[in-house]
Amino acid sequence: MTNKKWAVKRITVNLATQEAEKLEKYCQQTGRPATDVIRELIRSLPVSDDSKDANK
């Protein structure tokens, strides 16, 4: 099992009712916590190297 670190930055996301319900339903179906689902989705976002340098 990998060694997980605690969050470095906490964020709040405002979701529409339908979005929140969809996330909750997916989490119930998969048995995964919303935090893990959201982290996985963020990791899958395509990011070019130029964008990384511009955000520093």
Side-chain angles (χ1 to χ4, degrees):
M1 185 172 204
T2 60
N3 184 13
K4 292 188 177 184
K5 294 181 181 178
W6 289 101
V8 173
K9 185 171 186 177
R10 180 180 299 250
I11 62 170
T12 301
V13 179
N14 296 318
L15 300 174
T17 302
Q18 281 185 312
E19 295 166 336
E21 289 172 353
K22 188 171 186 176
L23 178 61
E24 289 171 11
K25 186 174 181 178
Y26 181 83
C27 291
Q28 288 174 352
Q29 289 175 348
T30 61
R32 299 173 59 204
T35 302
D36 289 353
V37 172
I38 294 167
R39 280 191 191 121
E40 182 178 311
L41 290 169
I42 291 170
R43 288 182 190 128
S44 71
L45 294 172
V47 180
S48 67
D49 290 338
D50 294 341
S51 296
K52 290 180 186 176
D53 293 337
N55 291 329
K56 287 185 178 180

